[in-house]
Protein backbone atom coordinates (compact mmCIF):
# COMPACT_ATOMS: atom_id res chain seq x y z
CA UNK A 1 0.00 0.00 0.00
CA UNK A 2 1.50 3.33 -1.02
CA UNK A 3 0.58 6.98 -1.27
CA UNK A 4 -0.63 8.11 -4.70
CA UNK A 5 2.31 10.28 -5.77
CA UNK A 6 1.37 12.43 -8.75
CA UNK A 7 3.88 15.18 -7.94
CA UNK A 8 7.57 14.93 -6.92
CA UNK A 9 6.68 16.46 -3.56
CA UNK A 10 5.09 15.01 -0.43
CA UNK A 11 3.09 18.08 0.60
CA UNK A 12 1.28 18.39 -2.73
CA UNK A 13 0.73 14.64 -2.92
CA UNK A 14 -0.76 14.70 0.58
CA UNK A 15 -3.41 17.17 -0.60
CA UNK A 16 -4.22 14.96 -3.58
CA UNK A 17 -4.48 11.95 -1.26
CA UNK A 18 -6.78 13.85 1.11
CA UNK A 19 -9.06 14.66 -1.82
CA UNK A 20 -9.09 11.07 -3.08
CA UNK A 21 -9.80 9.61 0.35
CA UNK A 22 -12.50 12.21 1.04
CA UNK A 23 -14.67 11.47 -1.97
CA UNK A 24 -12.97 13.30 -4.83
CA UNK A 25 -13.15 11.77 -8.30
CA UNK A 26 -9.95 10.63 -9.99
CA UNK A 27 -10.87 12.14 -13.38
CA UNK A 28 -11.56 15.54 -11.85
CA UNK A 29 -8.39 15.34 -9.77
CA UNK A 30 -6.26 14.50 -12.82
CA UNK A 31 -7.85 17.41 -14.71
CA UNK A 32 -6.94 19.75 -11.84
CA UNK A 33 -3.41 18.44 -11.42
CA UNK A 34 -2.22 18.14 -15.04
CA UNK A 35 -1.78 21.93 -15.51
CA UNK A 36 0.16 22.13 -12.22
CA UNK A 37 3.27 20.10 -13.06
CA UNK A 38 5.17 23.17 -14.22
CA UNK A 39 3.99 25.19 -11.20
CA UNK A 40 5.20 22.41 -8.90
CA UNK A 41 8.69 22.72 -10.35
CA UNK A 42 8.83 26.31 -9.07
CA UNK A 43 8.68 24.99 -5.50
CA UNK A 44 6.19 23.62 -3.00
CA UNK A 45 5.43 27.10 -1.63
CA UNK A 46 5.76 29.26 -4.75
CA UNK A 47 3.34 27.20 -6.83
CA UNK A 48 0.43 27.14 -4.40
CA UNK A 49 -1.53 30.06 -5.97
CA UNK A 50 -1.65 28.04 -9.20
CA UNK A 51 -2.87 25.05 -7.18
CA UNK A 52 -5.75 27.08 -5.77
CA UNK A 53 -6.61 28.51 -9.17
CA UNK A 54 -7.01 25.07 -10.79
CA UNK A 55 -8.83 23.43 -7.89
CA UNK A 56 -11.16 26.38 -7.35
CA UNK A 57 -11.90 26.38 -11.07
CA UNK A 58 -13.14 22.79 -10.78
CA UNK A 59 -15.17 23.77 -7.73
CA UNK A 60 -16.79 26.61 -9.67
CA UNK A 61 -17.56 24.21 -12.53
CA UNK A 62 -19.30 21.80 -10.17
CA UNK A 63 -21.33 24.67 -8.68
CA UNK A 64 -22.49 25.54 -12.19
CA UNK A 65 -23.37 21.92 -12.96
CA UNK A 66 -25.24 21.66 -9.66
CA UNK A 67 -27.24 24.73 -10.64
CA UNK A 68 -28.36 22.88 -13.77
CA UNK A 69 -29.49 19.92 -11.66
CA UNK A 70 -31.28 22.17 -9.21
CA UNK A 71 -33.20 23.88 -12.01
CA UNK A 72 -34.60 20.45 -12.94
CA UNK A 73 -35.45 19.61 -9.33
CA UNK A 74 -32.67 17.01 -9.13
CA UNK A 75 -31.52 18.03 -5.68
CA UNK A 76 -29.77 14.80 -4.71
CA UNK A 77 -27.55 15.07 -7.78
CA UNK A 78 -26.95 18.78 -7.15
CA UNK A 79 -26.02 18.02 -3.56
CA UNK A 80 -23.36 15.49 -4.54
CA UNK A 81 -21.73 17.96 -6.91
CA UNK A 82 -21.79 20.74 -4.32
CA UNK A 83 -20.15 18.48 -1.74
CA UNK A 84 -17.31 17.72 -4.14
CA UNK A 85 -17.00 21.43 -4.84
CA UNK A 86 -16.72 22.03 -1.08
CA UNK A 87 -13.99 19.40 -0.84
CA UNK A 88 -11.97 20.92 -3.69
CA UNK A 89 -12.38 24.46 -2.36
CA UNK A 90 -11.30 23.25 1.09
CA UNK A 91 -8.21 21.42 -0.15
CA UNK A 92 -7.24 24.41 -2.30
CA UNK A 93 -7.60 26.82 0.62
CA UNK A 94 -5.51 24.82 3.10
CA UNK A 95 -2.56 24.90 0.67
CA UNK A 96 -2.29 28.70 0.73
CA UNK A 97 -0.18 31.04 2.82
CA UNK A 98 -1.97 33.05 5.49
CA UNK A 99 -3.25 36.29 3.97
CA UNK A 100 -2.73 35.20 0.37
CA UNK A 101 -5.02 36.60 -2.30
CA UNK A 102 -8.27 34.67 -2.72
CA UNK A 103 -7.89 32.49 0.34
CA UNK A 104 -10.75 34.02 2.33
CA UNK A 105 -13.09 33.92 -0.66
CA UNK A 106 -12.24 30.28 -1.34
CA UNK A 107 -12.89 29.32 2.28
CA UNK A 108 -16.25 31.09 2.16
CA UNK A 109 -17.11 29.06 -0.95
CA UNK A 110 -16.12 25.85 0.86
CA UNK A 111 -18.46 26.62 3.77
CA UNK A 112 -21.35 27.65 1.52
CA UNK A 113 -21.16 24.68 -0.85
CA UNK A 114 -20.80 22.21 2.03
CA UNK A 115 -23.92 23.52 3.73
CA UNK A 116 -25.98 23.65 0.55
CA UNK A 117 -24.66 20.32 -0.70
CA UNK A 118 -25.30 18.33 2.46
CA UNK A 119 -28.75 19.92 2.80
CA UNK A 120 -29.76 19.02 -0.75
CA UNK A 121 -28.33 15.51 -0.37
CA UNK A 122 -30.23 15.07 2.94
CA UNK A 123 -27.03 13.99 4.65
CA UNK A 124 -26.94 13.16 8.33
CA UNK A 125 -25.14 16.33 9.40
CA UNK A 126 -26.14 19.60 11.06
CA UNK A 127 -24.26 22.67 12.23
CA UNK A 128 -23.89 23.40 15.96
CA UNK A 129 -22.61 26.65 17.51
CA UNK A 130 -21.68 27.36 21.14
CA UNK A 131 -20.23 30.45 22.86
CA UNK A 132 -16.54 30.30 23.80
CA UNK A 133 -14.34 32.92 25.46
CA UNK A 134 -16.11 35.91 23.92
CA UNK A 135 -16.43 34.32 20.49
CA UNK A 136 -17.95 31.05 19.29
CA UNK A 137 -17.03 27.49 18.33
CA UNK A 138 -18.70 25.52 15.57
CA UNK A 139 -19.10 21.81 14.91
CA UNK A 140 -20.88 19.36 12.63
CA UNK A 141 -23.20 16.90 14.37
CA UNK A 142 -23.79 13.47 12.83
CA UNK A 143 -26.45 11.58 14.79
CA UNK A 144 -26.42 7.90 15.72
CA UNK A 145 -28.59 5.73 13.48
CA UNK A 146 -30.97 3.01 14.59
CA UNK A 147 -30.94 3.96 18.26
CA UNK A 148 -33.95 4.38 20.53
CA UNK A 149 -33.14 6.76 23.34
CA UNK A 150 -29.87 8.47 24.27
CA UNK A 151 -26.78 7.29 22.38
CA UNK A 152 -23.02 7.59 22.87
CA UNK A 153 -21.27 10.66 21.45
CA UNK A 154 -17.67 11.03 20.25
CA UNK A 155 -16.02 14.46 20.03
CA UNK A 156 -13.77 14.42 16.92
CA UNK A 157 -11.16 17.16 16.58
CA UNK A 158 -8.93 18.53 13.83
CA UNK A 159 -5.20 18.34 13.38
CA UNK A 160 -3.03 21.35 12.65
CA UNK A 161 -4.49 22.26 9.26
CA UNK A 162 -7.77 20.39 8.82
CA UNK A 163 -11.35 21.63 9.19
CA UNK A 164 -14.58 20.15 10.49
CA UNK A 165 -15.69 19.64 6.88
CA UNK A 166 -12.61 17.52 6.18
CA UNK A 167 -13.34 15.60 9.39
CA UNK A 168 -16.82 14.86 8.03
CA UNK A 169 -15.32 13.82 4.68
CA UNK A 170 -13.03 11.33 6.48
CA UNK A 171 -16.30 9.36 6.86
CA UNK A 172 -15.54 8.41 10.47
CA UNK A 173 -18.78 10.16 11.56
CA UNK A 174 -20.67 8.00 9.04
CA UNK A 175 -18.97 4.84 10.31
CA UNK A 176 -19.79 5.72 13.92
CA UNK A 177 -23.41 6.59 13.09
CA UNK A 178 -23.86 3.15 11.52
CA UNK A 179 -22.58 1.67 14.79
CA UNK A 180 -25.10 3.65 16.88
CA UNK A 181 -22.78 6.48 17.96
CA UNK A 182 -23.17 10.21 17.32
CA UNK A 183 -20.16 12.34 16.33
CA UNK A 184 -19.38 16.00 16.90
CA UNK A 185 -16.72 17.10 14.37
CA UNK A 186 -15.31 20.30 15.86
CA UNK A 187 -13.36 23.32 14.64
CA UNK A 188 -11.28 23.84 17.77
CA UNK A 189 -9.15 26.96 18.41
CA UNK A 190 -6.44 27.24 15.76
CA UNK A 191 -8.46 25.45 13.07
CA UNK A 192 -11.36 25.99 10.69
CA UNK A 193 -13.79 28.73 11.56
CA UNK A 194 -12.23 29.28 15.00
CA UNK A 195 -9.04 30.76 13.56
CA UNK A 196 -10.31 31.99 10.19
CA UNK A 197 -13.42 33.81 11.38
CA UNK A 198 -12.86 34.39 15.11
CA UNK A 199 -9.06 34.65 15.53
CA UNK A 200 -9.01 31.98 18.23
CA UNK A 201 -5.45 30.58 18.38
CA UNK A 202 -4.29 27.14 19.45
CA UNK A 203 -4.11 26.37 23.16
CA UNK A 204 -2.19 23.34 24.41
CA UNK A 205 -4.87 23.02 27.11
CA UNK A 206 -7.39 21.25 24.89
CA UNK A 207 -9.64 20.48 27.84
CA UNK A 208 -10.61 24.17 27.84
CA UNK A 209 -12.63 23.81 24.65
CA UNK A 210 -13.43 20.09 24.86
CA UNK A 211 -15.18 20.64 28.21
CA UNK A 212 -17.42 23.28 26.61
CA UNK A 213 -18.60 20.71 24.08
CA UNK A 214 -19.36 18.26 26.89
CA UNK A 215 -21.37 20.96 28.65
CA UNK A 216 -23.42 21.24 25.46
CA UNK A 217 -23.69 17.46 25.05
CA UNK A 218 -25.11 17.03 28.54
CA UNK A 219 -28.07 19.25 27.59
CA UNK A 220 -29.00 17.16 24.53
CA UNK A 221 -31.69 14.49 25.04
CA UNK A 222 -30.24 12.25 22.30
CA UNK A 223 -26.85 12.01 24.10
CA UNK A 224 -26.02 9.58 26.91
CA UNK A 225 -23.68 11.61 29.15
CA UNK A 226 -22.22 8.43 30.63
CA UNK A 227 -20.93 7.32 27.22
CA UNK A 228 -18.82 10.19 25.90
CA UNK A 229 -15.63 9.61 23.91
CA UNK A 230 -13.03 11.70 22.13
CA UNK A 231 -10.73 11.20 19.19
CA UNK A 232 -8.56 13.37 16.98
CA UNK A 233 -6.69 13.10 13.71
CA UNK A 234 -3.03 14.08 13.19
CA UNK A 235 -2.30 16.87 15.72
CA UNK A 236 -5.63 15.84 17.20
CA UNK A 237 -3.49 12.95 18.44
CA UNK A 238 -2.18 15.46 20.98
CA UNK A 239 -5.42 17.34 21.67
CA UNK A 240 -7.61 14.28 22.30
CA UNK A 241 -5.42 12.53 24.91
CA UNK A 242 -4.80 15.80 26.71
CA UNK A 243 -8.55 16.48 26.94
CA UNK A 244 -9.36 12.93 28.06
CA UNK A 245 -6.63 13.16 30.71
CA UNK A 246 -8.03 16.36 32.24
CA UNK A 247 -11.79 15.95 31.61
CA UNK A 248 -13.28 13.19 33.81
CA UNK A 249 -16.55 13.03 31.87
CA UNK A 250 -14.91 11.19 28.98
CA UNK A 251 -15.45 7.42 29.14
CA UNK A 252 -13.00 6.47 26.35
CA UNK A 253 -10.48 8.02 23.99
CA UNK A 254 -8.55 7.22 20.81
CA UNK A 255 -6.04 8.83 18.46
CA UNK A 256 -5.74 8.57 14.70
CA UNK A 257 -1.99 9.22 14.66
CA UNK A 258 0.02 9.48 17.88
CA UNK A 259 1.24 13.07 18.12
CA UNK A 260 2.81 12.45 21.49
CA UNK A 261 5.45 15.20 21.59
CA UNK A 262 4.68 17.84 18.98
CA UNK A 263 6.90 20.40 20.71
CA UNK A 264 9.86 18.11 20.03
CA UNK A 265 8.73 17.60 16.42
CA UNK A 266 9.12 21.35 15.81
CA UNK A 267 12.82 21.19 16.64
CA UNK A 268 13.14 18.22 14.28
CA UNK A 269 11.43 20.18 11.52
CA UNK A 270 13.88 23.02 11.99
CA UNK A 271 16.54 20.39 11.23
CA UNK A 272 14.42 19.28 8.22
CA UNK A 273 13.75 15.88 9.76
CA UNK A 274 10.43 14.49 8.53
CA UNK A 275 7.85 15.95 6.16
CA UNK A 276 5.71 19.06 6.70
CA UNK A 277 1.90 18.78 6.39
CA UNK A 278 1.30 22.06 4.48
CA UNK A 279 3.26 24.53 2.36
CA UNK A 280 4.33 27.80 4.01
CA UNK A 281 4.71 25.72 7.18
CA UNK A 282 6.33 28.20 9.55
CA UNK A 283 4.01 31.00 8.50
CA UNK A 284 1.06 28.67 9.11
CA UNK A 285 2.07 27.66 12.63
CA UNK A 286 2.88 31.26 13.58
CA UNK A 287 -0.62 32.25 12.43
CA UNK A 288 -2.57 29.50 14.19
CA UNK A 289 -0.63 29.93 17.44
CA UNK A 290 -0.90 33.73 17.32
CA UNK A 291 2.89 33.96 17.42
CA UNK A 292 4.84 37.08 16.46
CA UNK A 293 8.02 35.22 15.47
CA UNK A 294 9.87 31.92 15.83
CA UNK A 295 10.86 32.49 19.45
CA UNK A 296 7.28 33.35 20.36
CA UNK A 297 5.99 30.26 18.53
CA UNK A 298 8.45 27.96 20.29
CA UNK A 299 7.41 29.43 23.63
CA UNK A 300 3.68 29.04 22.88
CA UNK A 301 4.06 25.48 21.60
CA UNK A 302 6.38 24.14 24.30
CA UNK A 303 3.42 22.73 26.22
CA UNK A 304 2.48 20.47 23.29
CA UNK A 305 3.80 17.26 24.85
CA UNK A 306 2.00 14.36 26.50
CA UNK A 307 4.92 13.35 28.68
CA UNK A 308 3.47 13.26 32.18
CA UNK A 309 -0.08 13.52 30.81
CA UNK A 310 -0.88 10.03 29.49
CA UNK A 311 -0.50 8.62 33.00
CA UNK A 312 -3.56 10.64 34.07
CA UNK A 313 -5.83 8.70 31.68
CA UNK A 314 -7.82 6.05 33.54
CA UNK A 315 -10.43 5.13 30.91
CA UNK A 316 -9.98 2.77 27.91
CA UNK A 317 -7.70 4.34 25.30
CA UNK A 318 -6.64 3.37 21.77
CA UNK A 319 -3.42 4.50 20.06
CA UNK A 320 -3.23 4.01 16.28
CA UNK A 321 -0.40 4.91 13.92
CA UNK A 322 0.83 4.18 10.41
CA UNK A 323 4.04 2.17 10.27
CA UNK A 324 5.51 4.38 7.54
CA UNK A 325 4.27 7.78 8.75
CA UNK A 326 6.61 10.38 7.22
CA UNK A 327 5.46 13.26 9.40
CA UNK A 328 5.29 11.84 12.93
CA UNK A 329 7.73 9.07 13.85
CA UNK A 330 6.35 5.67 14.83
CA UNK A 331 8.29 5.87 18.08
CA UNK A 332 5.79 8.43 19.37
CA UNK A 333 3.03 5.80 19.21
CA UNK A 334 5.06 3.50 21.43
CA UNK A 335 5.79 6.34 23.85
CA UNK A 336 2.08 7.17 24.10
CA UNK A 337 1.09 3.56 24.68
CA UNK A 338 3.87 2.88 27.18
CA UNK A 339 2.78 5.88 29.27
CA UNK A 340 -0.87 4.74 29.48
CA UNK A 341 -0.01 3.02 32.73
CA UNK A 342 -3.30 3.82 34.48
CA UNK A 343 -5.72 3.25 31.60
CA UNK A 344 -8.46 0.75 32.36
CA UNK A 345 -7.78 -0.86 28.98
CA UNK A 346 -5.06 0.32 26.61
CA UNK A 347 -4.46 -0.80 23.03
CA UNK A 348 -1.82 -0.06 20.39
CA UNK A 349 -2.67 -0.64 16.72
CA UNK A 350 0.06 -0.15 14.11
CA UNK A 351 -1.14 -0.24 10.51
CA UNK A 352 1.30 -2.23 8.36
CA UNK A 353 1.72 -2.95 4.63
CA UNK A 354 -0.30 -6.15 5.14
CA UNK A 355 -3.46 -4.02 5.35
CA UNK A 356 -2.68 -0.39 4.46
CA UNK A 357 -3.10 2.92 6.20
CA UNK A 358 0.67 3.04 6.69
CA UNK A 359 1.10 6.74 5.85
CA UNK A 360 0.24 9.68 8.11
CA UNK A 361 -3.35 9.14 9.35
CA UNK A 362 -3.89 6.64 6.56
CA UNK A 363 -3.42 9.06 3.67
CA UNK A 364 -2.76 6.01 1.49
CA UNK A 365 -6.00 4.34 2.63
CA UNK A 366 -8.18 5.77 5.39
CA UNK A 367 -10.62 2.87 5.51
CA UNK A 368 -8.53 0.82 7.91
CA UNK A 369 -8.07 3.53 10.54
CA UNK A 370 -11.67 4.67 10.18
CA UNK A 371 -13.18 1.21 10.63
CA UNK A 372 -10.82 0.17 13.41
CA UNK A 373 -11.50 3.28 15.49
CA UNK A 374 -15.25 3.06 14.87
CA UNK A 375 -15.38 -0.60 15.91
CA UNK A 376 -13.28 0.10 19.00
CA UNK A 377 -15.57 2.91 20.16
CA UNK A 378 -18.62 0.71 19.49
CA UNK A 379 -17.14 -1.96 21.76
CA UNK A 380 -16.17 0.44 24.52
CA UNK A 381 -19.19 2.77 24.48
CA UNK A 382 -21.94 0.24 23.88
CA UNK A 383 -22.55 0.60 20.16
CA UNK A 384 -22.78 -2.23 17.64
CA UNK A 385 -20.27 -3.77 15.20
CA UNK A 386 -22.66 -5.67 13.00
Amino acid sequence: MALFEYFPNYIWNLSVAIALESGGRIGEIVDMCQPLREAMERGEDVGTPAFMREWAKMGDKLVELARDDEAKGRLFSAGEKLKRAALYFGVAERMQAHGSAGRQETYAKALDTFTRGTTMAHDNVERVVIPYEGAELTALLTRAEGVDGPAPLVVYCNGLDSTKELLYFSWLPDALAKRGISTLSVDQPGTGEAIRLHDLPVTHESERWASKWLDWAETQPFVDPARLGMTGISLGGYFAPRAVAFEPRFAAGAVWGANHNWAEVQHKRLRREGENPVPHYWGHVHWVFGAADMDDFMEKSKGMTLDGVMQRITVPFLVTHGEKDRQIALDYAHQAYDQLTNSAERELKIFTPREGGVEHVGADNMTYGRDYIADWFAEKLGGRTG
Side-chain angles (χ1 to χ4, degrees), residues 225-244:
R227 293 188 288 165
L228 299 170
M230 184 165 182
T231 190
I233 195 164
S234 191
L235 188 53
Y238 165 81
F239 295 123
R242 165 82 195 202
V244 172

Side-chain angles (χ1 to χ4, degrees), residues 3-14 16 33 36-44 275 326:
L3 193 71
F4 178 61
E5 303 198 57
Y6 189 88
F7 298 107
N9 176 280
Y10 173 83
I11 294 178
W12 285 44
N13 288 329
L14 181 63
V16 173
C33 289
L36 294 173
R37 287 186 179 273
E38 183 179 342
M40 173 67 256
E41 293 173 0
R42 297 198 294 271
E44 63 187 36
E275 297 284 359
R326 292 184 242 179

Side-chain angles (χ1 to χ4, degrees), residues 33-55:
C33 289
Q34 278 183 335
L36 294 173
R37 287 186 179 273
E38 183 179 342
M40 173 67 256
E41 293 173 0
R42 297 198 294 271
E44 63 187 36
D45 292 354
V46 177
T48 54
F51 188 103
M52 187 167 70
R53 182 177 63 249
E54 293 300 326
W55 284 59

